[in-house]
Amino acid sequence: MNVLVLNSGSSSIKYQLINVETREVLAKGLCERIALKEGTFIYKDVQGTLIEKKLELPNHDFAAQLIFDELFSEDKNFSVEAFGHRVVMGGWYFDDAVLIDDDVKAKILELAELAPLHNYPAHAVIEASMKIHPDVPSVAIFDTAFHTTIPAKSSDYALPRDIIEKYKIKRYGAHGISHRYVAEMTKKFFEGYEQLKILSAHIGNGASLCAISHGVSVNTTMGFTPLEGLVMGTRCGTIDPAIVTYVLENSDMTAHDFFELMNKKSGLLGLSNYSSDLRDIYFKSLEGDAQCRHAMEAYSDSIKQHIGSMVFSMGGCDVIAFTAGVGENSAQVRELALEGLEDLGIILNQDKNDNVDVSDGLIADISHFKSRVRILVVPTNEELMMAMDTKRILAEQTGD
Ligand code: ADP
């Protein structure tokens, strides 16, 4: 079964056409800088075709058409049996992936109020896929669905009830597709042992931790929006909310300006005043740049602090699983984040940590033999998880 997985962001669409049985990626690529100056379209496939074009991409509908035109052109004509759409905000409606119909589309639009940068583009691309192939089923896979199991004591913010209810404020979390994939791979690694307490650490440009007990999310560091929690590439993570009102009252900035500043100009970029990319920061700190060194330490220390909060939230930890760009590739960040936790039974094997290579897609165990908590590097694959979810939901529908 070929599933076309579509991941629509605020200014991009990433796509992969995956054969779910063989797990082969038949074609993949992306449209970038949608509705901005000079967009990019990239297409690669198993036959070795590589197309890269610079062109104006006025909106998501237009970008989706370009992708479909390429995949379903006369010469390539890939078959597609289902579409799998990533939708960031599933709110209170969706605790699992779902077959898309008119009702689901209406709910995705209703929830766009809480995640306008993501749900509107996802809705536009869903409409485009249903137009191009009306008979091919579409499934929505929600980033928030995995976190609907978080108990109210951990997902509620201590604000007045009327405000919480009026604005539907709670911890919705994010990165749910990746955290669930990591949990499933980790469970397989331990041969299906169900009771595991897993701390999944998705550390990339965006970053979050998730406490997973008995296979379900019981807490996560991202909150009402992905801004909360860890220091990230350009996001500040958790700060004292009084800083916001203090700066707004004492500057010319608008609420929107400060929101942009917290999301796009803070984190590694803000602290280093150099880059949001961990590799850049690392190499610059090796050259002796003090601000870059400090940025990397603050980024890693925030992981450590939040590990504490997640581990206590689930009452212990059997496995810490690092994933995503930094989690899979940076020995330095893993080391800084776990440094000093030896008395808590969290001990890295330095040699194994320095020599991780998960490019084969397999899990690496980097724990010291004396470590009570197993420390793993688990390469994430959100696209494959989405393709498998799509197949599962369709099988549930038909009773296969
Ligand atoms: P996102 O999907 O949130 O944009 P990724 O998971 O792709 O982010 O992670 C991007 C981050 O991973 C960047 O900061 C990048 O520098 C870092 N990264 C990627 N490869 C390496 C590497 N080999 N060593 C250190 N950091 C890396």
Side-chain angles (χ1 to χ4, degrees), residues 219-245:
N219 207 347
T220 192
T221 54
M222 281 180 168
F224 179 63
T225 75
L227 186 55
E228 195 182 347
L230 307 175
V231 171
M232 307 181 211
T234 60
R235 296 188 192 120
C236 57
T238 297
I239 59 170
D240 180 346
I243 295 170
V244 181
T245 45

Side-chain angles (χ1 to χ4, degrees), residues 150-286:
I150 297 178
K153 64 180 179 182
S154 301
S155 66
D156 267 358
Y157 290 94
L159 291 165
R161 273 272 148 234
D162 54 334
I163 295 288
I164 288 182
E165 278 155 25
K166 181 169 179 197
Y167 296 102
K168 302 197 166 64
I169 289 173
K170 65 174 270 195
R171 179 182 307 289
Y172 292 106
H175 287 150
I177 299 166
S178 176
H179 288 308
R180 187 158 50 91
Y181 181 80
V182 166
E184 288 189 11
M185 291 303 114
T186 303
K187 207 168 72 179
K188 259 194 199 153
F189 186 77
F190 291 103
E191 289 165 358
Y193 182 65
E194 291 291 337
Q195 290 81 34
L196 282 180
K197 288 181 175 161
I198 303 167
L199 186 287
S200 169
H202 180 111
I203 314 294
N205 187 26
S208 71
L209 306 183
C210 181
I212 302 162
S213 183
H214 295 74
V216 301
S217 169
V218 293
N219 207 347
T220 192
T221 54
M222 281 180 168
F224 179 63
T225 75
L227 186 55
E228 195 182 347
L230 307 175
V231 171
M232 307 181 211
T234 60
R235 296 188 192 120
C236 57
T238 297
I239 59 170
D240 180 346
I243 295 170
V244 181
T245 45
Y246 176 76
V247 174
L248 290 185
E249 281 167 6
N250 291 284
S251 72
D252 299 334
M253 265 190 245
T254 63
H256 178 76
D257 293 339
F258 204 76
F259 182 74
E260 292 281 297
L261 178 147
M262 290 189 293
N263 271 291
K264 297 187 180 158
K265 296 181 186 158
S266 301
L268 284 176
L269 176 62
L271 284 175
S272 69
N273 203 17
Y274 175 63
S275 172
S276 62
D277 190 290
L278 198 270
R279 264 172 305 192
D280 295 345
I281 301 275
Y282 174 61
F283 289 123
K284 199 80 180 164
S285 66
L286 286 183

Side-chain angles (χ1 to χ4, degrees), residues 360-378:
D360 54 5
L362 298 177
I363 290 178
D365 189 338
I366 53 172
S367 357
H368 190 277
F369 75 95
K370 285 187 184 157
S371 187
R372 197 181 45 71
V373 175
R374 293 284 283 276
I375 308 160
L376 306 180
V377 177
V378 181

